[in-house]
């Protein structure tokens, strides 16, 4: 499914007219059977500075945005892997690769292998398919058009269907609010 997603970047051309500047996916990370994600855009400042030239998604190497920055990502999640231990191993490898600073507890990982926390404000919409948003105490089935706002708390994604799910969202740097006991 992932190969068909296209990123279209519009900005001023050399004459100052709005034009399509790019239509290619960039900064793609994937592991067959576990995840596919592309950073569509990123900034290192707020407000965003549209005078900065180039493909700003290429600067992003982490899960979270730069301080005072923003990330826009597409994330495709296939059906949950049948072996939870393998799923957790792959997810931990991704976390290590991207330098994720917040380690999940054994209790979190037992709830679902993808449980994690970021110190960001995330606005994520289910575009295709369906997926369960897993929190510390409940689960919510998300279908196309459903949007979740995650305010720096634990969460995970569980695809219990037979088809991949596509999520698209924006992560904003935020002042962290750590829950008691974390």
């Amino acid at each position: 499914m992932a190969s068909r997603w296209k990123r279209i970047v519009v900005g001023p051309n050399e004459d100052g007219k709005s034009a399509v500047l790019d239509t290619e996916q960039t900064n793609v990370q994937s592991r067959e059977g576990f995840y596919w994600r592309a950073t569509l855009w990123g900034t290192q400042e707020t407000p965003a500075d549209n005078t900065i030239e180039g493909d700003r998604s290429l600067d992003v190497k982490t899960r979270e945005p730069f301080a005072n920055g923003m990330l826009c990502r597409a994330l495709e999640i296939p059906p949950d892997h049948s072996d939870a231990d393998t799923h957790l191993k792959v997810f931990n490898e991704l976390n290590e690769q991207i330098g994720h600073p917040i380690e999940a507890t054994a209790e979190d990982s037992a709830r679902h292998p993808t449980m994690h926390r970021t110190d960001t404000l995330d606005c994520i919409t289910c575009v295709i398919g369906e997926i369960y948003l897993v929190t510390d105490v409940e689960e919510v089935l998300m279908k196309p058009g459903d949007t979740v706002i995650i305010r720096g708390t634990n969460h995970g994604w569980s695809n219990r269907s037979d088809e991949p799910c596509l999520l698209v969202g924006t992560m904003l740097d935020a002042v962290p609010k750590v829950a008691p006991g974390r």
Side-chain angles (χ1 to χ4, degrees):
M1 187 193 295
S3 63
R4 70 180 186 193
W5 309 132
K6 182 171 24 176
R7 175 189 76 143
I8 302 167
V9 179
V10 175
N13 66 13
E14 56 277 351
D15 298 323
K17 303 285 186 183
S18 66
V20 174
L21 304 178
D22 198 349
T23 60
E24 297 297 318
Q25 297 172 354
T26 63
N27 203 342
V28 173
Q29 298 168 323
S30 66
R31 178 83 180 259
E32 186 66 35
F34 293 94
Y35 64 88
W36 174 95
R37 72 182 199 171
T39 302
L40 305 174
W41 202 253
T43 70
Q44 297 184 37
E45 72 287 329
T46 301
D49 185 348
N50 283 334
T51 66
I52 297 174
E53 297 290 329
D55 186 345
R56 300 200 64 202
S57 70
L58 296 175
D59 297 334
V60 180
K61 307 291 184 222
T62 61
R63 173 174 283 134
E64 298 190 27
F66 291 101
N68 299 311
M70 174 277 305
L71 289 179
C72 182
R73 278 210 174 104
L75 173 62
E76 184 176 287
I77 301 173
D80 283 354
H81 196 275
S82 59
D83 180 0
D85 290 336
T86 300
H87 199 160
L88 178 60
K89 179 180 180 251
V90 169
F91 192 69
N92 286 338
E93 288 170 357
L94 171 65
N95 285 339
E96 186 175 322
Q97 175 189 349
I98 61 176
H100 187 62
I102 305 168
E103 196 168 325
T105 66
E107 180 183 349
D108 294 340
S109 297
R111 180 126 173 82
H112 192 272
T114 67
M115 285 294 282
H116 65 287
R117 181 174 63 85
T118 57
D119 288 334
T120 55
L121 175 65
D122 303 353
C123 307
I124 301 170
T125 301
C126 179
V127 179
I128 295 174
E130 62 180 45
I131 198 153
Y132 282 86
L133 166 68
V134 181
T135 71
D136 288 335
V137 297
E138 60 198 332
E139 300 176 355
V140 177
L141 178 61
M142 293 179 63
K143 294 185 176 189
D146 293 344
T147 298
V148 60
I149 310 300
I150 303 170
R151 299 176 57 208
T153 59
N154 270 353
H155 62 283
W157 303 108
S158 179
N159 184 343
R160 299 171 192 161
S161 76
D162 295 330
E163 299 295 325
C165 174
L166 178 66
L167 302 172
V168 176
T170 301
M171 299 173 69
L172 303 167
D173 185 36
V175 175
K177 179 179 180 181
V178 178
R182 295 277 175 194

